Amino acid sequence: MFDALSGLPEQCIRAWELGMALTVSARAEIRQVMVTGLGGSAIGGDLLRIFAGKRLPVPVTVNRDYVLPKFVGPQTLLFATSYSGNTEETLSAYREAREKGAQIIALTTGGKLKAMAEKDGVPVITVPGGISPRAATGYLFLPTLAVLQKLGLLEPLDEQVAELSRHLQAMREQLKPETPLAENRAKQVAINFFQRIPVIWGASGTSEVVAQRWKGQVNENAKAPAYWNVFPELNHNELVGFQKPEELLRQLYIVILRDTQDHPRVQKRYAITREIMGGAVAGMDEIEATGNGDLARLYSLIYPGDYASVYLALLYGIDPGPVKVIDQLKARLAEQ
Ligand code: F6R
């Protein structure tokens, strides 16, 4: 997992190249963009929804299900994303997208998805295998941006991608195992999460997907629970729920993911919320986005969480790599 994490800056460049190498053209005017996938593959779709949502004149949605919404049709550009290529929900959604005449692009390492797409004459972006899907966010996100750029739906992003890779290279020096605790934000976060329940708060439309990502990474790497929510919504319900039961609340540790580009009113909410929380939980911390460009800033919040979840696994004496529970569940379902 450490190798995969440290390879992310290079993965992003490779992922971009693979997306740019695809020959694409739209069959009909594109009215919606959709990513269908699950787990680590769906997160790539969420990143697209956040990043491209601000830029595209058409909606970007993520579908995590066997079935597709009714509006999907020939004017839908649909990325069927599955790292393994064998996730049954994604294969089912792919089949339905074919029936509905959607403009499909498969994004995978291989498996049944690649085989079906090739047979159907559907364009496939094949990314390298051998790592966990959750360690492949570059491969599962950047090619979709490249396709949208090639279709003329997004402005040229080559410089942003280069900046992303440069920024991640600098960050990995700060986050890698050799960097001591005093200078390593990921290790500090992991120690604060240890023997507690992590809660991660992001901001709507920016770091919300990152908060969800942190939660998933703690679940899958450290094999521990974690929860997430977003500002400003959490100010309208979750914040009220920190009064009882006191003992259990003191087992929570909250991290707020923030960016100077968050809505100015949301930025005011962070300090007020912390004040209202008082000493209800074990502690609260904040991680600030850094870097130039939306892509670098988005990943500057993701990367510390990825490393922190792996350090947390090590604190628990757990191998962050295998996710036997998911494998078992998929195997049992396949029997039926
Ligand atoms: C495993 C992981 C999972 C998978 C999910 C879907 O690292 O992150 O959440 O991503 O079970 O599988 P794929 O991505 O192969 O379609």
Side-chain angles (χ1 to χ4, degrees), residues 19 22 64 137 146 153 184 188 199 208 211 218-219 255 311 315 318 324:
L22 189 76
R64 291 174 155 90
T137 53
L153 290 167
N184 193 319
Q188 292 163 9
V199 175
E208 61 173 82
V218 170
N219 296 154
V255 169
Y311 291 130
L315 286 171
I318 273 175
K324 288 198 190 112

Side-chain angles (χ1 to χ4, degrees), residues 73-108:
Q75 295 190 314
T76 310
L77 173 65
L78 184 130
F79 292 99
T81 305
S82 169
Y83 190 73
S84 62
N86 291 321
T87 298
E88 64 175 40
E89 298 94 316
T90 315
L91 296 176
S92 159
Y94 169 89
R95 286 189 201 100
E96 191 182 331
R98 283 278 300 161
E99 280 161 23
K100 292 184 146 149
Q103 303 182 50
I104 310 175
I105 292 174
L107 177 55
T108 183

